[in-house]
Amino acid sequence: MEKQIKQILEELYLVDGSFRAHEKELVKIIQELLASKPDTRIDQNFIKELRFKIINKSSTKENMFNFLFNRRFAYVSALVLVFVLIAGISTFLYKGEQNGQPLSAEEAIKDVGENAFGRIYLASQGENVQNRESQAFGMGGGGGLVLDTSVYPPEEQVNYKYAYVGEDFSIEENQVAVYRKAKGNSLGNSLRSALAGLKFDLVDLGSFGSKKITSIQISEDKEFGYSIYVDSINDNISININWERWPMDIYESPVAAMADEKAVAMADSFISSHGIDMSIYGEGEVLKPSYRGFISEDLTVVYPLEIEGRPVYDEGGQKYGIYVNVSSRHNRVASVSGISSNLFESSNYGVEIDEKKAVEIAEQGGMFGNYYYSGNGRTVSVELGTPEIKLVKVWAGANDKFVSNELFVPALVFPVVNNPEWTYFYRSNVIVPLVGSLTESNGGPIRIMEETLQKDLTE
Amino acid sequence: MHHNSRQENMQDFIEIYDQYAERIYNFIYYKTHHKETAEDLTSETFIKALSKFDSFDKNKGSLSSWIYRIARNTVIDFYRTKKNIVNIDDVWDLSEDSDISQDFDTKEKLKEAKKHLKKLKSNQREIVMLRIWEGLSYKEISLITDNTEAGCKMAFMRAMRALRQEMPLHVLLALLLF
């Protein structure tokens, strides 16, 4: 200590010699300071653990995908990755990747000539009615959160008879543009370069050729965390609850659904905070459940897709786009689905139906079809008003092969105008596409016992 | 910093860690007086340093000043976030009745000295701590504080002058009697 104090003083005198006259005071001050030096109590185990952590961190940095298999850092790193992916989707467009166009946040429509998608066979959604008990409701992916607490009304056998009551109308168009989502495989291509650095100890990945990442699932490891599924084949992303980190108790009774305005505000906030691009989507609105009387804690907010400024509907006549499920019980967003590429191909098709045929199809339930219960079922009349031409999302096959293709076709949208007494199945519109074939052999509307229904109504 | 490979980069960083881990912990402890907080902030400092290591340019400053600057800023961020005010740099700026955790024995040990040290300017106090508590040379201190060696000596001299003037007469008399 003496040596250290002496050296400090000597250096001090070199700066200001007048200090020499106060040496005794200075020695006491320095002694006092040395005596008051805190015991830093460093823990050598802490130093070792931090060293280990840094080595692991560095390994993660060296190989960005090794983290997926390192449980210790998987979730933190994965969370960073998914936000990069979601935010980065918009920047992938037109980066010149081979074998596909990058996923885009900006709408881009490429004209691919007439009838470019082949002969279109439209699939009906009618089967969904029969299989409804096995489905998750809410339109959004992973919307099964509320199933345990939702209340279904008892199924009543009701037959619906659709009748056109609107004004005369005419279909002016001879040709209409049909749109298809362009499968750019952009996420797969964009991630391909990252694959080069992917290493496993157990398998030599380098021995496999032409590799691509087709999907990844990433989870937030925190209370009320989310699980993000990136589908690089179809270029879409969905966000769902991380089941492991959300309370999964079976609740005895449902809670009241929150107000629509609150659900929309909550969905807006989630979308904003996670940088989800909404440049070709309209304002959010709460979707009416397809099954009237269905009591749900969840509300689905839909942000309608707008292609060239035209809102898109689904086969059931509801607005189609990005769906955000909001949980009233947990007061937070539970899922988001429909985040997808904004790249479209456009092809002109000849209009295949006239006004008379359109009304005929509409009165059979349109694209969604109709059902008839034999026996003592009640019959409810559904009145359809004057249609408007809008874009409708359909699943369609091209030519004679039923390969799923998401198409957006112009369709006559007949509004339900008489506020009928629905039982469990609710419709606000009936859809009749202007192009494509609706045939039973290709999954078209099922018109079960239509003749019997007609007979019942006339009796 | 230019490295031939990430592996070499990593080896370099681990060497730096081995060299500076305890020093940085002590530096942070002197500014927090709390073991757990010092550990957390030390971890944070090195994780930040690792993430920025690739972009470190030795032509723009020494490695030690770079890593101490990260530690200093980490401490400042900690207190400013914690207190939600902007004029706190470290534990020395806290009031005596602050509810922020401090180790009891350190608080007791520093009771007298703190009254005087806390009246120094932040940079003077840092140099006093590094020179007297850590026993670092002015050259080393200059590298840590991004200052010149002469500037560090001047700052230390001013700190000692202030402490002399700060010490109450009865304390000085008591000191001088021993």
Side-chain angles (χ1 to χ4, degrees):
Chain A
M1 185 183 287
E2 288 299 318
K3 190 181 172 186
Q4 185 189 359
I5 293 173
K6 192 175 178 186
Q7 189 178 349
I8 290 170
L9 291 174
E10 287 302 325
E11 288 168 340
L12 197 58
Y13 300 154
L14 285 175
V15 178
D16 186 347
S18 66
F19 273 99
R20 205 178 284 276
H22 308 285
E23 186 166 301
K24 278 191 175 179
E25 290 174 47
L26 292 170
V27 168
K28 289 294 179 187
I29 289 170
I30 295 168
Q31 283 177 336
E32 186 71 10
L33 289 172
L34 284 168
S36 61
K37 177 187 174 183
D39 175 10
T40 54
R41 304 188 299 178
I42 194 161
D43 181 348
Q44 288 303 323
N45 286 331
F46 160 74
I47 297 294
K48 286 176 190 168
E49 283 172 11
L50 181 56
R51 191 179 197 275
F52 177 70
K53 188 176 176 181
I54 286 168
I55 291 169
N56 273 343
K57 270 276 182 196
S58 181
S59 301
T60 304
K61 194 179 173 188
E62 182 178 350
N63 182 341
M64 71 175 285
F65 276 97
N66 279 349
F67 70 86
L68 289 171
F69 306 95
N70 180 337
R71 291 179 63 85
R72 187 166 180 177
F73 294 108
Y75 298 115
V76 174
S77 305
L79 182 59
V80 172
L81 174 64
V82 76
F83 289 125
V84 167
L85 282 173
I86 291 172
I89 282 168
S90 61
T91 63
F92 288 157
L93 180 61
Y94 301 139
K95 289 284 175 67
E97 293 284 350
Q98 292 181 346
N99 304 322
Q101 295 156 300
L103 195 56
S104 167
E106 292 180 17
E107 185 184 43
I109 297 171
K110 183 182 177 185
D111 188 345
V112 290
E114 291 186 8
N115 301 316
F117 309 141
R119 180 79 184 152
I120 296 172
Y121 294 98
L122 300 168
S124 165
Q125 298 300 301
E127 295 88 340
N128 291 346
V129 178
Q130 288 183 327
N131 297 329
R132 68 180 185 83
E133 288 87 353
S134 62
Q135 294 181 7
F137 293 95
M139 304 296 290
L145 180 65
V146 298
L147 284 179
D148 289 334
T149 56
S150 300
V151 176
Y152 300 91
E155 188 170 319
E156 183 187 6
Q157 293 190 347
V158 174
N159 293 314
Y160 297 101
K161 172 59 182 173
Y162 294 88
Y164 182 66
V165 298
E167 300 171 357
D168 289 344
F169 66 96
S170 61
I171 302 171
E172 306 289 345
E173 293 84 352
N174 294 319
Q175 275 205 326
V176 289
V178 173
Y179 303 90
R180 180 169 72 178
K181 282 215 168 186
K183 290 185 180 177
N185 195 22
S186 59
L187 286 176
N189 284 325
S190 299
L191 294 174
R192 186 174 291 158
S193 58
L195 262 174
L198 187 59
K199 293 175 185 173
F200 300 103
D201 290 336
L202 301 176
V203 178
D204 177 14
L205 279 185
S207 64
F208 298 94
S210 300
K211 298 185 293 292
K212 63 180 179 180
I213 295 175
T214 56
S215 64
I216 54 174
Q217 185 160 347
I218 301 153
S219 297
E220 283 185 302
D221 186 23
K222 66 177 190 180
E223 192 180 15
F224 290 106
Y226 292 96
S227 181
I228 302 97
Y229 184 75
V230 181
D231 175 357
S232 61
I233 292 178
N234 295 302
D235 281 344
N236 65 46
I237 294 173
S238 59
I239 301 167
N240 293 295
I241 63 171
N242 176 3
W243 297 94
E244 293 180 349
R245 302 307 306 269
W246 280 56
M248 283 294 123
D249 301 333
I250 302 298
Y251 301 108
E252 291 183 356
S253 58
V255 298
M258 67 176 67
D260 287 4
E261 297 75 19
K262 184 179 176 185
V264 172
M266 203 169 277
D268 283 347
S269 171
F270 186 91
I271 279 170
S272 171
S273 62
H274 292 296
I276 298 171
D277 185 89
M278 303 300 286
S279 56
I280 62 164
Y281 295 88
E283 295 286 314
E285 59 185 81
V286 171
L287 204 60
K288 289 181 181 176
S290 298
Y291 298 86
R292 180 164 282 193
F294 169 70
I295 303 169
S296 172
E297 296 179 358
D298 278 9
L299 294 176
T300 299
V301 178
V302 60
Y303 295 83
L305 171 65
E306 294 176 355
I307 299 177
E308 296 190 297
R310 302 161 71 187
V312 177
Y313 291 74
D314 67 16
E315 299 95 325
Q318 301 249 39
K319 286 184 177 171
Y320 168 84
I322 288 180
Y323 301 101
V324 180
N325 255 8
V326 181
S327 165
S328 300
R329 180 176 297 275
H330 299 295
N331 208 33
R332 61 186 69 220
V333 166
S335 70
V336 182
S337 62
I339 304 167
S340 186
S341 165
N342 296 342
L343 281 178
F344 300 95
E345 294 170 328
S346 164
S347 178
N348 280 344
Y349 276 76
V351 173
E352 298 184 31
I353 58 171
D354 57 19
E355 295 81 0
K356 185 182 173 190
K357 181 71 175 173
V359 170
E360 185 185 315
I361 295 173
E363 290 186 332
Q364 292 172 344
M367 191 178 173
F368 217 99
N370 196 6
Y371 277 78
Y372 177 75
Y373 289 101
S374 60
N376 299 320
R378 269 194 312 129
T379 299
V380 170
S381 181
V382 179
E383 294 178 356
L384 303 177
T386 309
E388 289 181 51
I389 297 178
K390 295 178 178 175
L391 283 176
V392 174
K393 188 273 300 180
V394 298
W395 285 102
N399 296 325
D400 58 347
K401 294 178 181 174
F402 195 82
V403 178
S404 292
N405 256 324
E406 194 173 44
L407 297 182
F408 303 92
V409 300
L412 292 166
V413 178
F414 293 81
V416 174
V417 294
N418 67 327
N419 193 23
E421 178 205 350
W422 301 98
T423 52
Y424 65 87
F425 182 53
Y426 172 83
R427 302 178 71 172
S428 56
N429 296 299
V430 168
I431 304 293
V432 179
L434 292 177
V435 297
S437 299
L438 289 165
T439 62
E440 289 185 26
S441 62
N442 288 287
I446 301 169
R447 311 185 207 300
I448 302 170
M449 302 189 68
E450 179 68 18
E451 290 178 8
T452 311
L453 174 60
Q454 292 288 358
K455 187 180 169 188
D456 288 349
L457 288 170
T458 54
E459 285 177 353
Chain B
M1 192 168 252
H2 302 290
H3 303 273
N4 293 330
S5 70
R6 287 207 175 276
Q7 196 173 357
E8 285 180 18
N9 203 1
M10 180 58 199
Q11 285 170 354
D12 288 348
F13 191 82
I14 287 298
E15 282 176 20
I16 290 164
Y17 174 79
D18 290 341
Q19 187 182 345
Y20 285 98
E22 292 192 22
R23 291 188 191 189
I24 290 292
Y25 172 87
N26 286 346
F27 178 74
I28 291 175
Y29 189 87
Y30 295 149
K31 287 170 170 285
T32 59
H33 301 170
H34 189 245
K35 181 175 182 286
E36 284 71 28
T37 302
E39 287 182 353
D40 288 345
L41 299 185
T42 301
S43 296
E44 203 175 319
T45 297
F46 279 100
I47 297 301
K48 281 181 190 170
L50 176 63
S51 70
K52 295 174 182 173
F53 191 47
D54 283 343
S55 59
F56 169 68
D57 185 352
K58 64 182 178 184
N59 296 320
K60 292 182 179 174
S62 72
L63 183 67
S64 56
S65 72
W66 177 70
I67 204 156
Y68 272 90
R69 188 161 57 242
I70 293 173
R72 190 180 297 114
N73 290 338
T74 301
V75 172
I76 290 170
D77 288 346
F78 170 77
Y79 281 105
R80 290 184 178 175
T81 304
K82 197 130 185 152
K83 296 303 289 181
N84 199 26
I85 49 178
V86 294
N87 60 348
I88 289 229
D89 282 357
D90 55 28
V91 72
W92 299 92
D93 292 325
L94 290 176
S95 62
E96 285 301 314
D97 57 352
S98 166
D99 56 0
I100 290 183
S101 301
Q102 294 175 48
D103 294 330
F104 177 76
D105 51 354
T106 299
K107 202 171 180 178
E108 285 298 300
K109 200 172 184 182
L110 275 169
K111 212 169 188 175
E112 282 303 316
K114 190 174 180 180
K115 289 177 191 170
H116 314 299
L117 282 172
K118 73 178 299 177
K119 290 184 178 173
L120 298 178
K121 290 179 181 171
S122 177
N123 68 318
Q124 290 176 341
R125 189 165 54 232
E126 202 171 277
I127 289 172
V128 168
M129 290 189 298
L130 292 170
R131 183 72 190 95
I132 295 181
W133 286 348
E134 282 298 82
L136 300 182
S137 69
Y138 286 114
K139 185 173 180 58
E140 288 173 306
I141 294 170
S142 70
L143 292 174
I144 289 169
T145 56
D146 246 348
N147 202 343
T148 61
E149 204 173 330
C152 291
K153 287 178 181 175
M154 287 298 290
F156 185 80
M157 182 270 289
R158 291 195 184 99
M160 295 306 288
R161 183 176 290 158
L163 286 173
R164 264 195 68 242
Q165 291 165 356
E166 182 59 35
M167 292 280 187
L169 189 59
H170 70 274
V171 173
L172 279 177
L173 286 172
L175 290 171
L176 288 169
L177 290 174
F178 292 92

